[in-house]
Amino acid sequence: MFSYLYEWIRSISFYMIMVTAAIHVIPNSDYKRYIRFFTGLVLVVMLTDPFLRLLGMGDLWQKLYESPIYQEQVEKMEQAAQILGEMSEAFEEQANHGQNVETDFEQEAEETRIGVEEIKIGR
């Protein structure tokens, strides 16, 4: 019991030292709040670990990542990311080709103009 408590305190201490070092190394202060938020969430999970183990839910996180539903969702997200990447590449190609299409469209618009001979307003 005490060895587990010792390991728990040691891992939290090591984690806090690493987080502090990472925050001081980052040059842009805009990202610091996001890093603090994420590391705070991880710290909450680390702090609740002993209580989850007492309640018999210690392996809950491991079971979550090994579940077939989670694996299926990960595969769907990877497929969606791949499709999004392909669509992005196609869009970039169309945008590069679109510059030529725009000049063609302007030339075609000039050729098909409709002329107005007379405009009457009123009676």
Side-chain angles (χ1 to χ4, degrees):
M1 177 68 180
F2 287 110
S3 64
Y4 176 73
L5 187 62
Y6 176 73
E7 286 293 322
W8 178 64
I9 292 172
R10 194 171 89 180
S11 66
I12 290 175
S13 301
F14 180 73
Y15 177 74
M16 291 304 297
I17 291 169
M18 294 305 293
V19 166
T20 304
I23 287 175
H24 287 289
V25 169
I26 296 172
N28 193 352
S29 63
D30 294 338
Y31 297 115
K32 285 184 181 180
R33 65 179 174 175
Y34 299 113
I35 292 173
R36 284 187 181 143
F37 175 74
F38 177 74
T39 55
L41 290 176
V42 172
L43 183 62
V44 167
V45 170
M46 290 177 74
L47 290 172
T48 58
D49 185 53
F51 302 110
L52 291 175
R53 289 188 188 270
L54 282 174
L55 297 174
M57 298 169 46
D59 296 331
L60 179 68
W61 297 107
Q62 186 69 22
K63 290 178 185 176
L64 175 70
Y65 290 119
E66 292 176 354
S67 71
I69 295 170
Y70 177 77
Q71 296 298 328
E72 181 181 329
Q73 292 296 326
V74 168
E75 289 175 7
K76 285 182 181 179
M77 287 190 301
E78 288 173 351
Q79 290 173 353
Q82 182 181 8
I83 291 170
L84 183 62
E86 292 171 359
M87 289 175 62
S88 176
E89 290 173 4
F91 180 73
E92 287 177 10
E93 288 177 15
Q94 286 180 353
N96 292 336
H97 181 58
Q99 294 170 350
N100 298 336
V101 171
E102 186 175 316
T103 56
D104 293 343
F105 179 73
E106 290 173 356
Q107 291 173 355
E108 188 176 315
E110 285 185 24
E111 294 172 359
T112 58
R113 288 189 185 225
I114 299 174
V116 178
E117 294 179 10
E118 183 179 350
I119 298 176
K120 292 184 179 179
I121 299 175
R123 298 182 197 183

